[in-house]
């Protein structure tokens, strides 16, 4: 039965050829891996380490899925025969960490020549990085980028056949390859890409350069994927895109993000829907209305503000003002009164003055975020902001960062406390890290609660009474 809105066309076909080709390579790679494990007398092992955001985390699940089909078995990095770093380059320190880890791998690889090292993700899309790897990190086996992770099996085969470093980086792509294997980290929840790339070119940000132009996935492919996830035990999905609010604009049959959400809401057995990230400039009234009426969309909106100063926002190319942002927050709070709001803030953008910074503090005090990710501005070569004059001195930035963090944390702990004594639904996600007689659940508003329980509760949605607020999380007990 077709449950879709009749005015939304979901009939675009999904290209199959690339998928088929990759399954052939998976078979070929299997033979090589089989041979190697016969020589070793044990299964070949792998470890994928993810840096960066949820997009990368989802990409890593795809890499894992492919590796497992090839016959590799997952193992800790210290013993793995194939180590893969899925890298991030949003801030300079992300790159520094990868070079550090690579340096540590070098002696291990020397002692175990059969070992393979793969590098992929956003950092590999930077030509200077690949040059440096080619020159100073010759022991790396496979290097690929963000646009061709679907080719992973093919690249592994190339490496086995050539015996040399394999490099395959695409500048950009309009391709979306569907239906490849993936291995989820959690049985009961999953990220789902709804779009790739970004067209916004915020002046500080490298993501549009390393993730390419914005491409929306076909809605039918998204819905089919979610249905099969649900059939496989998933109750919560996180829809992923750099700017989900502009979903669907470039589809052959355009549709809005709000329309997509309405369709996803209808999927039976799916209990919770989350999404990130929302760009304030594209957050529509239609979306706010859908959120207000939805039974499944979680009461949480991540709405990065970046700065509270309209002057700085303009230099950042964010295309909204402080006032516009605050109006949006009012509108959302009216439509969804108990919504939790979180944000990203950058401190020390070029030319930021104390007055600009005070505007940021003002927004933080007015919105009263449930939490905020605060970042020190990091200069990314090739972005417009990197060439801007009056970069802010390090000590000034550090001082502002500390003041901001203090404000954000004080407010967040006050905001968190308001739920004390209420009963809310929690999705139990894991055994508690600090006490194995307890489990950890996530509330609709994204806060965590720890309660007595064992691992058979994992994946269940339970009513939990929040007995005590511990600053940024809760202690609770089953309500029944
Ligand atoms: N697409 C998302 C964010 C992706 S990057 C959005 O638009 O909100 C995640 C966060 O990293 C950004 O929100 C920003 O706060 C931060 N960030 C991006 N580039 C940065 C840079 N050059 N220096 C410091 N923080 C940065
Ligand atoms: Fe970067 Fe801006 Fe795109 Fe987000 S919207 S990924 S901050 S350019
Ligand atoms: Fe980093 Fe790439 Fe995500 S640069 S933040 S991993 S899109």
């Amino acid at each position: 039965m077709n449950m879709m809105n009749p005015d939304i066309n979901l009939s675009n076909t999904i290209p199959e050829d690339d998928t088929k080709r990759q399954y052939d390579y998976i078979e070929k790679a299997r033979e090589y891996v089989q041979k190697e494990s016969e020589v070793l007398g044990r299964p070949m092992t792998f470890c994928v380490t993810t840096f960066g955001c949820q997009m990368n985390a989802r990409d890593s699940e795809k890499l894992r899925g492919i590796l497992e089909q090839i016959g590799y078995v997952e193992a800790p990095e210290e013993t793995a025969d194939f180590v893969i770093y899925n890298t991030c380059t949003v801030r300079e320190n992300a790159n520094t960490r990868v070079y550090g880890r690579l340096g540590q791998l070098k002696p291990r690889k020397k002692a175990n020549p059969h070992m393979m090292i793969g590098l992929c993700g956003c950092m590999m899309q930077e030509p200077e990085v690949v040059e440096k790897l080619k020159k100073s990190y010759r022991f790396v086996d496979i290097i690929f980028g963000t646009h061709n992770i679907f080719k992973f099996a093919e690249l592994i085969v190339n490496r086995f056949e050539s015996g040399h470093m394999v490099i395959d980086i695409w500048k950009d792509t309009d391709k979306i390859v569907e239906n490849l294997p993936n291995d989820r980290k959690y049985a009961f929840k999953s990220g789902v890409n709804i779009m790739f790339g970004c067209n916004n070119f915020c002046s500080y940000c490298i993501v549009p350069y390393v993730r390419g132009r914005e491409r929306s996935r076909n809605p039918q492919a998204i819905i089919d994927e979610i249905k099969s996830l649900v059939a496989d035990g998933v109750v919560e999905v996180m829809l992923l895109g750099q700017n989900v609010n502009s979903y669907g604009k470039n589809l052959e049959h355009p549709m809005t993000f709000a329309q997509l959400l309405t369709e996803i809401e209808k999927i039976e057995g799916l209990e919770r829907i989350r999404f990130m990230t929302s760009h304030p400039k594209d957050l529509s009234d239609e979306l706010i209305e859908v959120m207000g009426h939805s039974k499944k969309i979680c009461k949480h909106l991540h709405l990065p503000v970046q700065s509270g100063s309209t002057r700085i926002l303009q230099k950042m190319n964010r295309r909204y003002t402080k006032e516009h942002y605050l109006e949006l927050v009012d509108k959302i709070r009216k439509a969804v009164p108990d919504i939790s709001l979180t944000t990203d803030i950058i401190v020390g953008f070029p030319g930021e003055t104390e007055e600009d910074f005070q505007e940021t503090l003002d927004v933080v005090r007015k919105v009263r975020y449930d939490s905020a990710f605060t970042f020190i501005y990091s200069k990314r070569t090739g972005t417009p902001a990197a060439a801007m004059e009056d970069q802010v001195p390090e000590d000034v930035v550090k001082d502002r960062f500390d003041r901001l963090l203090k404000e954000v944390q004080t407010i967040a702990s006050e905001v968190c406390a308001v739920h004390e004594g209420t009963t809310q639904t929690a999705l139990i996600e894991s055994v508690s890290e600090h006490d194995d007689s307890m489990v950890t659940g996530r509330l609709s508003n994204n806060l965590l609660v720890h309660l007595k329980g064992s691992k058979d509760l994992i994946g269940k949605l339970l009513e939990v009474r929040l007995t005590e607020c511990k600053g940024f999380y809760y202690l609770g007990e089953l309500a029944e």
Side-chain angles (χ1 to χ4, degrees):
M1 192 170 60
N2 189 354
M3 306 279 285
M4 306 296 161
N5 258 350
D7 57 1
I8 296 170
N9 188 317
L10 299 171
S11 65
N12 296 357
T13 52
I14 300 160
E16 289 280 358
D17 304 359
D18 277 301
T19 313
K20 281 212 190 83
R21 198 176 131 86
Q22 289 311 311
Y23 277 100
D24 290 345
Y25 276 110
I26 287 175
E27 280 315 307
K28 241 188 188 169
R30 265 187 97 81
E31 290 167 22
Y32 283 108
V33 168
Q34 178 102 34
K35 268 192 216 129
E36 290 247 343
S37 46
E38 275 162 21
V39 175
L40 285 173
R42 60 168 175 81
M44 296 277 280
T45 55
F46 78 91
C47 178
V48 179
T49 303
T50 313
F51 300 84
C53 67
Q54 309 232 18
M55 303 272 179
N56 259 21
R58 183 64 181 152
D59 285 349
S60 290
E61 294 185 344
K62 296 174 186 172
L63 300 174
R64 260 186 226 114
I66 293 171
L67 287 164
E68 280 163 7
Q69 292 245 327
I70 289 176
Y72 283 102
V73 177
E74 193 156 16
E77 187 179 314
E78 301 75 56
T79 59
D81 302 305
F82 191 2
V83 172
I84 298 107
Y85 292 155
N86 188 6
T87 63
C88 168
T89 186
V90 75
R91 284 168 289 275
E92 185 62 34
N93 56 10
N95 295 37
T96 316
R97 275 171 66 205
V98 168
Y99 289 125
R101 296 276 289 260
L102 271 181
Q104 290 168 6
L105 281 186
K106 191 177 179 180
R108 243 189 80 201
K109 165 118 188 191
K110 215 166 185 178
N112 304 280
H114 79 281
M115 198 184 149
M116 291 218 292
I117 299 171
L119 294 176
C120 62
C122 296
M123 200 176 144
M124 301 306 125
Q125 293 293 138
E126 292 178 277
E128 315 80 71
V129 168
V130 176
E131 280 314 306
K132 182 164 170 172
L133 292 168
K134 272 178 19 196
K135 234 170 84 196
S136 315
Y137 297 81
R138 293 295 313 164
F139 56 96
V140 173
D141 296 277
I142 303 179
I143 300 175
F144 57 108
T146 56
H147 302 302
N148 55 350
I149 64 161
F150 74 93
K151 277 181 75 182
F152 192 29
E154 183 174 343
L155 300 176
I156 293 173
V157 170
N158 290 350
R159 172 64 187 80
F160 278 126
E161 286 179 352
S162 72
H164 295 126
M165 188 189 233
V166 171
I167 303 180
D168 191 11
I169 315 278
W170 297 4
K171 257 195 135 103
D172 202 350
T173 186
D174 53 7
K175 214 179 237 186
I176 297 178
V177 180
E178 299 284 356
N179 296 325
L180 282 163
N182 71 80
D183 172 35
R184 293 197 308 277
K185 186 168 172 205
Y186 298 97
F188 52 87
K189 69 170 185 177
S190 180
V192 174
N193 298 107
I194 64 167
M195 59 206 299
F196 301 92
C198 179
N199 284 352
N200 288 313
F201 291 95
C202 301
S203 64
Y204 49 81
C205 184
I206 201 164
V207 171
Y209 304 88
V210 297
R211 285 272 170 180
R213 293 295 61 71
E214 187 178 293
R215 308 171 298 285
S216 293
R217 259 180 95 191
N218 182 300
Q220 190 62 62
I222 297 169
I223 287 165
D224 287 350
E225 180 177 349
I226 299 176
K227 281 185 177 165
S228 74
L229 287 168
V230 169
D232 196 34
V234 164
V235 290
E236 177 180 305
V237 290
M238 165 77 89
L239 309 177
L240 299 171
Q242 293 298 351
N243 178 14
V244 292
N245 298 330
S246 75
Y247 172 81
K249 285 191 179 147
N250 301 321
L251 284 171
E252 196 186 333
H253 303 283
M255 78 190 285
T256 63
F257 180 53
Q259 286 172 319
L260 178 71
L261 279 172
T262 308
E263 295 306 318
I264 295 174
E265 175 107 13
K266 292 177 194 162
I267 298 174
E268 236 172 88
L270 180 67
E271 304 284 349
R272 277 182 169 183
I273 305 168
R274 299 184 186 277
F275 53 83
M276 76 189 306
T277 303
S278 283
H279 194 304
K281 80 176 164 62
D282 295 314
L283 189 95
S284 66
D285 290 349
E286 187 197 13
L287 176 64
I288 295 176
E289 193 183 321
V290 167
M291 289 180 76
H293 291 114
S294 169
K295 300 233 164 2
K296 297 185 179 174
I297 300 173
C298 288
K299 307 248 180 263
H300 172 217
L301 182 66
H302 185 63
L303 196 62
V305 66
Q306 313 298 4
S307 167
S309 153
T310 297
R311 197 181 73 84
I312 294 294
L313 285 169
Q314 201 170 14
K315 288 180 73 179
M316 287 178 161
N317 192 29
R318 290 290 288 179
R319 286 173 278 171
Y320 53 83
T321 61
K322 176 188 182 189
E323 289 68 32
H324 176 210
Y325 185 91
L326 291 173
E327 275 165 30
L328 263 183
V329 167
D330 278 348
K331 260 200 242 175
I332 295 153
R333 286 234 160 97
K334 268 202 192 97
V336 193
D338 44 355
I339 196 155
S340 140
L341 290 174
T342 58
T343 202
D344 293 346
I345 300 170
I346 297 175
V347 192
F349 184 85
E352 185 190 73
T353 62
E354 178 61 27
E355 290 70 45
D356 294 316
F357 176 66
Q358 287 299 330
E359 297 274 11
T360 299
L361 284 180
D362 187 47
V363 169
V364 166
R365 289 179 191 129
K366 287 203 163 101
V367 178
R368 298 183 60 76
Y369 293 106
D370 290 68
S371 77
F373 295 103
T374 50
F375 304 109
I376 287 180
Y377 167 72
S378 169
K379 191 169 166 175
R380 307 312 289 127
T381 312
T383 61
M388 285 180 192
E389 282 165 15
D390 47 2
Q391 305 273 333
V392 185
E394 216 172 287
D395 54 332
V396 176
V397 181
K398 185 76 186 62
D399 172 62
R400 287 183 195 158
F401 181 83
D402 291 345
R403 283 187 282 153
L404 175 67
L405 192 65
K406 207 165 147 224
E407 193 73 40
V408 159
Q409 287 182 341
T410 310
I411 293 174
S413 66
E414 288 166 17
V415 174
C416 177
V418 304
H419 303 285
E420 200 171 89
T422 63
T423 295
Q424 300 193 20
T425 312
L427 174 59
I428 308 301
E429 296 197 335
S430 58
V431 171
S432 174
E433 267 175 35
H434 306 292
D435 179 349
D436 58 14
S437 71
M438 301 190 74
V439 288
T440 303
R442 192 176 295 272
L443 307 175
S444 174
N445 65 16
N446 215 30
L447 284 172
L448 295 179
V449 54
H450 303 280
L451 59 147
K452 282 267 171 246
S454 64
K455 68 174 190 308
D456 41 286
L457 296 181
I458 292 175
K460 295 206 163 91
L461 284 150
L462 301 171
E463 292 305 302
V464 176
R465 211 173 75 81
L466 309 177
T467 47
E468 191 188 344
C469 177
K470 288 282 200 184
F472 304 104
Y473 66 91
Y474 278 98
L475 292 181
E477 58 194 25
L478 281 180
E480 287 90 356

